[in-house]
Amino acid sequence: MSFALVGPVLEGRLVRLEPLGHQHVADLAVAAEQDRVAYDYTWVPRGDEVAAYVDSQLARAATGTVAPYAQVSRATGRAVGATAYLDPRILPDDGRLFAVEVGFTWLAGTAQGTGVNAEAKYLLFRHAFEEWGVGRLDLKTDARNARSRAAIASVGARFEGVLRNWSRSWAPGEAGRLRDSAVFSVTAEEWPDCRARLETRMAKYR
C-alpha cells in the first residue's frame, strides 16, 4: 500500500481548512499585512509576496512532501492564515504513513487568540490520528520563539528537546544562518488526552 500526502477539506466551527490555492491569494495578502509583531522568528510573506508564496507551497505539494492549507474563518469566509502537513514518514515495507509534521503555520493578527489556532490543530491532529492512523505527529519552532513554544505546548504537544543547527533561520537579518529547533510531538497513545484537552479549550470560544 502506498500513501499520498493529500489533505482533504477539514471543517470546524470557527475555521475551515481548505487545500491552499490561488483563490486564497487576495485574502492572505490582506491577512499577512495585519499586525506582524508576532512574526519575529517565523517567515510570513508580505502582501505582495503571497502569490509567489502560494506558488512555492503548491510546488512542494506536487512533490508529495507537503499538503498546504488556507485557514478560512467561518465567520467571514475569508482566509486568515495558512498551515500544512509536511514531512510524511512512510514504512518502507508496506508504504504506510507512520508519522507526519504540522507546520508552515501563520495567522493574521486579528485571528490570533480567537480559538482558530486551537481548532485548526484539533482538525489536523484528529485527521492524522483517526483517519491516517499515524503513530506520531511532530511540531517544530525556532528554539528562541517563546510565544510559539507556549502555543504548541498549550494544544497538548510534549516538548522533546532542541535540535541544534537544525534548519535555516527565518528571523529578520539572519539570512544564511541556521537555527536551533525546539521539537514537540503527540503520540497515538497521547492523542485521547490531547483531544479532550483541545475540546475543553475550544468550548471556551463557543
Side-chain angles (χ1 to χ4, degrees):
M1 179 178 72
S2 62
F3 179 87
L5 188 62
V6 177
V9 173
L10 300 174
E11 193 89 25
R13 291 174 179 252
L14 300 174
V15 65
R16 181 173 61 254
L17 300 182
E18 300 178 356
L20 184 67
H22 293 107
Q23 71 273 22
H24 300 116
V25 168
D27 287 349
L28 291 177
V30 174
E33 287 298 330
Q34 293 181 9
D35 184 1
R36 297 178 61 90
V37 70
Y39 301 154
D40 287 346
Y41 299 106
T42 302
W43 184 79
V44 176
R46 303 298 313 213
D48 60 2
E49 298 171 326
V50 168
Y53 163 80
V54 170
D55 286 341
S56 68
Q57 288 293 71
L58 293 180
R60 293 185 179 102
T63 70
T65 60
V66 176
Y69 281 102
Q71 302 192 63
V72 177
S73 166
R74 291 289 306 276
T76 66
R78 296 183 178 277
V80 294
T83 190
Y85 289 119
L86 63 146
D87 190 22
R89 272 95 79 204
I90 310 297
L91 292 173
D93 54 345
D94 64 6
R96 180 168 57 88
L97 181 76
F98 73 90
V100 71
E101 183 174 344
V102 168
F104 291 137
T105 301
W106 61 272
L107 275 176
T110 55
Q112 296 172 25
T114 64
V116 166
N117 178 62
E119 188 174 69
K121 293 295 192 296
Y122 173 79
L123 295 170
L124 292 164
F125 290 11
R126 185 179 66 182
H127 187 79
F129 285 115
E130 298 181 12
E131 300 299 325
W132 288 340
V134 300
R136 171 189 172 93
L137 189 143
D138 301 334
L139 302 100
K140 298 188 186 79
T141 190
D142 192 305
R144 299 167 295 178
N145 193 340
R147 180 171 180 166
S148 178
R149 290 176 64 160
I152 293 171
S154 73
V155 299
R158 181 176 298 186
F159 174 63
E160 293 188 329
V162 173
L163 300 173
R164 297 177 298 165
N165 286 356
W166 180 253
S167 64
R168 66 177 294 183
S169 172
W170 296 106
E174 294 188 355
R177 291 179 57 182
L178 297 175
R179 78 174 197 190
D180 295 346
S181 291
V183 180
F184 295 77
S185 71
V186 181
T187 66
E189 294 77 14
E190 295 165 345
W191 168 237
D193 287 342
C194 178
R195 174 173 180 155
R197 180 173 178 172
L198 280 167
E199 288 174 346
T200 298
R201 182 175 173 187
M202 289 185 299
K204 299 176 181 178
Y205 294 99
R206 295 174 183 164

